C-alpha cells in the first residue's frame, strides 16, 4: 500500500507546532534572549529540525507571534456565550478570556512576551497591525459604543498583565472581572 504522505505531513505539522509552543513557553519564561538551541531542546527536536521549519530566528519569532494572535482570537471566541442575545457578546468573551486561568493567556500577557512584541521587527508589527484591525472590526460589530468597548478592553488587558503578580489577589481578579462584565450590559453606567 502506498503512503499518501499524510503521516509525514502530520509529523511536520506536529514538529512545527511543538517548536512554536516551545518558543512561546521559553519567551514568556526567559525573555527574548532564548536561543534557537533552547527552543529545539524544549520541543524535543534537533536544531537542524528547527532550521528546517524556520530558516532564521526572525522566521520563528514571526510564526510564534502569528500563532499566538490566532490562539488568542480562538480563546476569546471559545468564551463567547452564544446564548447571550444582546450587545457586547464578544466583549464579554474577551473579558472572560483575559481574566481566566488559561496558561496560554498568562504566557501571552507575560511581561517578557509583551516586550517581544512591543520592540519588534517590522514583520511582527505588520502581524500585530493586521490583528488590531481584525479586532477593531469585530468590536465595531459587537453593538457596544466604541469608546466604552475600548475602555473595557484596555482594563481587561491591564488586568491580564497583573495576574500572578503581588498586586492582584484571586478575589480581586474575580471582583474586577465581574465588574467589567457588568459594565458591558446595556444600560450599565
Amino acid at each position: 500500500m502506498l503512503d499518501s504522505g499524510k503521516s509525514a505531513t502530520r509529523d511536520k505539522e506536529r514538529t512545527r507546532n511543538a517548536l512554536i509552543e516551545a518558543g512561546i513557553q521559553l519567551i514568556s519564561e526567559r525573555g527574548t534572549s532564548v536561543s534557537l538551541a533552547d527552543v529545539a531542546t524544549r520541543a524535543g527536536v534537533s536544531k537542524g529540525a528547527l532550521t528546517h521549519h524556520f530558516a532564521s530566528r526572525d522566521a520563528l519569532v514571526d510564526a510564534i507571534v502569528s500563532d499566538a494572535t490566532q490562539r488568542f482570537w480562538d480563546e476569546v471566541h471559545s468564551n463567547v456565550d452564544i446564548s447571550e442575545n444582546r450587545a457586547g457578546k464578544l466583549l464579554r468573551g474577551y473579558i472572560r478570556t483575559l481574566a481566566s486561568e488559561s496558561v496560554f493567556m498568562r504566557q501571552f500577557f507575560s511581561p517578557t512576551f509583551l516586550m517581544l512584541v512591543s520592540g519588534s521587527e517590522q514583520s511582527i508589527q505588520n502581524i500585530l497591525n493586521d490583528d488590531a484591525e481584525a479586532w477593531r472590526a469585530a468590536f465595531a460589530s459587537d453593538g457596544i459604543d466604541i469608546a466604552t468597548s475600548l475602555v473595557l478592553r484596555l482594563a481587561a488587558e491591564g488586568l491580564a498583565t497583573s495576574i500572578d503578580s503581588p498586586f492582584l489577589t484571586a478575589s480581586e481578579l474575580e471582583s474586577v472581572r465581574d465588574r467589567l462584565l457588568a459594565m458591558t450590559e446595556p444600560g450599565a453606567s
Side-chain angles (χ1 to χ4, degrees):
M1 183 169 169
L2 294 173
D3 182 9
S4 65
K6 289 182 182 179
S7 172
T9 300
R10 272 197 306 271
D11 287 344
K12 286 179 184 178
E13 290 172 15
R14 198 173 308 134
T15 300
R16 185 178 191 284
N17 291 339
L19 289 163
I20 290 170
E21 182 62 31
I24 289 170
Q25 290 171 1
L26 287 168
I27 289 169
S28 71
E29 291 170 11
R30 300 186 205 164
T32 58
S33 63
V34 171
S35 71
L36 292 178
D38 290 340
V39 173
T41 299
R42 175 71 64 96
V45 301
S46 68
K47 190 172 176 190
L50 185 150
T51 57
H52 172 74
H53 289 278
F54 303 102
S56 68
R57 179 182 174 79
D58 289 344
L60 174 61
V61 171
D62 286 356
I64 288 169
V65 172
S66 183
D67 182 78
T69 58
Q70 183 60 53
R71 283 176 63 185
F72 179 57
W73 183 270
D74 294 343
E75 284 213 27
V76 168
H77 283 81
S78 74
N79 282 298
V80 170
D81 183 346
I82 59 172
S83 70
E84 295 177 346
N85 294 320
R86 59 192 182 282
K89 191 183 316 188
L90 178 62
L91 182 56
R92 285 187 291 282
Y94 195 83
I95 292 166
R96 286 184 198 108
T97 301
L98 290 171
S100 74
E101 296 293 323
S102 165
V103 171
F104 171 71
M105 281 297 100
R106 291 175 182 203
Q107 292 169 340
F108 190 69
F109 279 90
S110 71
T112 52
F113 195 83
L114 293 174
M115 285 187 332
L116 166 71
V117 297
S118 67
S120 57
E121 301 293 323
Q122 187 59 47
S123 60
I124 292 175
Q125 291 306 311
N126 292 341
I127 293 167
L128 297 175
N129 288 338
D130 291 346
D131 187 53
E133 286 306 313
W135 281 111
R136 280 188 189 95
F139 283 116
S141 302
D142 198 32
I144 299 276
D145 168 72
I146 297 298
T148 301
S149 177
L150 183 58
V151 166
L152 295 175
R153 290 183 346 242
L154 293 174
E157 291 167 9
L159 185 64
T161 62
S162 296
I163 293 175
D164 292 332
S165 81
F167 300 101
L168 185 68
T169 67
S171 63
E172 290 169 335
L173 172 63
E174 184 178 342
S175 174
V176 173
R177 181 199 62 228
D178 292 347
R179 176 65 59 91
L180 290 174
L181 288 170
M183 294 171 74
T184 68
E185 295 299 338
S189 54

